[in-house]
Amino acid sequence: MWHRTELIRSENLHRAGELIKLGRLVVFPTETVYGIGADAGNPDAVAAIFAAKRRPADNPLIVHIPALAELPVVASAVSTLEYALLESFAPGPFTLVLPRAAAIAPDVSAGLSTVAVRVPLNTVAQRFLAVAGRPVAAPSANRSGEPSPTSFAAARTAMSGRVAAIIDGGDCRYGIESTVVKVDSGRRRVVVLRPGSVTIEMITAALTELAVDATRSRSDPDHESWSSYRVCFAGDLGAGGDDAAAASPGTRHPHYQPRAPLYLLPGDRRELLCPNSFGCRVGMLLLESLPDRLHPTPLVKVFRDSEEYGRLLYRSFAWFDSVGCDAIIAQLPPAAGVGLAVRDRLTRAAGGRLVPLQPR
Ligand code: AMP
Ligand code: MG
């Protein structure tokens, strides 16, 4: 269905809140990417999100709340460890999977009994959620399979005519989607279903600190055993990873793809890159510095670290597509910190394609 899309400035958020209450779709900024939001308790509004994005019905949505005080409306239960993790990382780019409360439309969870919950840090998002006055289900505001919008212009390009309104909130601070986490108390592990800007190292450090604090205060007998939890990435779990992928269906779908085919360059092979072997217009994403035989051009972007790489990744894809690149080459960052999330997005966008390299 075609809509006349209102553009809403961050001073006029009451209008965005009204539209959510009417069951309409509103695109809003967060610190990760722009989201396409609807009343999470309204099944028709939730169905409209799937239609606007052409999102497969088996890919669940994240529910956004302005503060942890609203958690009981969304989740039917939360353990002391889960709450402690939320207190450590919310508000922020951190999403936790919990049992779903009755007030949330079941289609939000795409058939699962759980729901993913996040408190965004972005102040426009927080004010919008407060005026909406109800939990807002919101996936990234891209069409399914395409890169997520990280600026107002990109959100407008992706969603004009498909939603009731788009809020202008400038550029997104992190640029890649939130870290999605599930606590598996049976196997005593905190599973990162989707890596993001809250890194495995940060979660591990928080867990250690929480275990120490809990042992000191001895307020709950279960606290003392938190130190036996491991933090792991679902992508590294091997056979067990299948369980985790089933538990996070979004990770099964093709995602984040620019129009130009993307080729991965392993970080330790970059000196073998031969720019002439492509014979076409190639965009490049590199980390830290240019390899010797390359010269700077508007089509070569060099990031100083994985954080900057993540923040500008989707904007670079959009730029390469807008100038008509025939192919994109992207160097894989090391799998540490935010690098793990950047590698995840690049690997899925490339569908496993590697750059053809000159022999050593
Ligand atoms: P997006 O909204 O595009 O950022 O994608 C949301 C991500 O959260 C997808 O990877 C989903 O698989 C994941 N997700 C949402 N709800 C759940 C849930 N109940 N259990 C596991 N993963 C979830
Ligand atoms: Mg998405």
Side-chain angles (χ1 to χ4, degrees):
M1 200 197 344
W2 193 87
H3 299 258
R4 191 184 67 79
T5 299
E6 293 176 37
L7 302 180
I8 296 183
R9 293 155 62 96
S10 55
E11 307 84 67
N12 287 334
L13 294 179
H14 65 277
R15 174 64 185 149
E18 248 169 50
L19 288 165
I20 290 291
K21 288 174 187 146
L22 291 169
R24 311 287 305 280
L25 302 184
V26 176
V27 168
F28 65 102
T30 80
E31 69 278 16
T32 57
V33 303
Y34 273 71
I36 170 170
D39 178 352
N42 177 336
D44 293 335
V46 169
I49 293 182
F50 284 89
K53 276 189 64 112
R54 303 214 180 93
R55 184 171 174 107
D58 66 349
N59 191 357
L61 311 178
I62 294 172
V63 175
H64 297 72
I65 50 177
L68 285 182
E70 307 296 322
L71 198 57
V73 186
V74 181
S76 59
V78 51
S79 69
T80 357
L81 175 56
E82 287 164 336
Y83 199 80
L85 286 171
L86 281 170
E87 281 188 311
S88 302
F89 295 112
F94 179 81
T95 297
L96 189 65
V97 175
L98 294 168
R100 175 165 42 82
I104 302 301
D107 285 352
V108 165
S109 307
L112 300 169
S113 58
T114 51
V115 64
V117 189
R118 176 153 92 95
V119 182
L121 178 64
N122 178 293
T123 52
V124 176
Q126 287 200 353
R127 281 167 37 225
F128 159 64
L129 293 169
V131 292
R134 57 204 67 198
V136 169
S140 47
N142 52 308
R143 295 190 212 167
S144 237
E146 295 181 3
S148 306
T150 61
S151 66
F152 175 58
R156 210 173 152 179
T157 305
M159 284 296 149
S160 259
R162 294 169 173 264
V163 297
I166 304 177
I167 300 171
D168 183 354
D171 292 345
C172 301
R173 168 162 158 188
Y174 294 109
I176 42 175
E177 301 82 354
S178 61
T179 308
V180 180
V181 167
K182 190 172 185 180
V183 175
D184 178 352
S185 56
R187 296 195 209 182
R188 307 198 78 67
R189 60 192 191 186
V190 176
V191 184
V192 173
L193 298 173
R194 176 174 71 183
S197 299
V198 168
T199 63
I200 289 189
E201 293 85 342
M202 288 159 74
I203 301 170
T204 305
L207 201 55
T208 307
E209 205 169 299
L210 289 169
V212 170
D213 288 354
T215 310
R216 265 198 220 115
S217 70
R218 293 178 187 275
S219 50
D220 175 336
D222 191 43
H223 281 180
E224 288 179 43
S225 57
W226 288 356
S227 53
S228 65
Y229 272 79
R230 272 184 319 116
V231 184
C232 46
F233 173 36
D236 292 337
L237 288 177
D242 290 344
D243 294 354
S248 185
T251 55
R252 279 201 306 260
H253 293 285
H255 212 332
Y256 319 119
Q257 285 163 333
R259 276 197 294 279
L262 177 70
Y263 295 86
L264 302 178
L265 172 67
D268 60 344
R269 313 279 315 270
R270 46 183 256 144
E271 298 310 324
L272 302 181
L273 191 61
C274 177
N276 300 332
S277 63
F278 287 89
C280 59
R281 209 167 151 75
V282 181
M284 286 194 201
L285 302 175
L286 298 168
L287 194 59
E288 287 165 2
S289 61
L290 275 179
D292 284 347
R293 58 181 111 179
L294 278 179
H295 304 288
T297 78
L299 293 184
V300 179
K301 296 190 179 293
V302 181
F303 304 116
R304 60 173 176 273
D305 52 28
S306 295
E307 281 75 14
E308 187 182 49
Y309 202 156
R311 184 159 52 80
L312 299 177
L313 178 67
Y314 296 140
R315 236 170 290 172
S316 305
F317 283 171
W319 159 252
F320 291 148
D321 278 343
S322 73
V323 296
C325 283
D326 302 303
I328 301 171
I329 291 176
Q331 181 184 341
L332 283 169
V338 179
L340 185 69
V342 176
R343 285 174 76 95
D344 169 70
R345 306 310 189 270
L346 286 173
T347 307
R348 289 170 58 195
R353 267 186 304 257
L354 289 176
V355 174
L357 293 167
Q358 279 191 332
R360 275 194 217 260

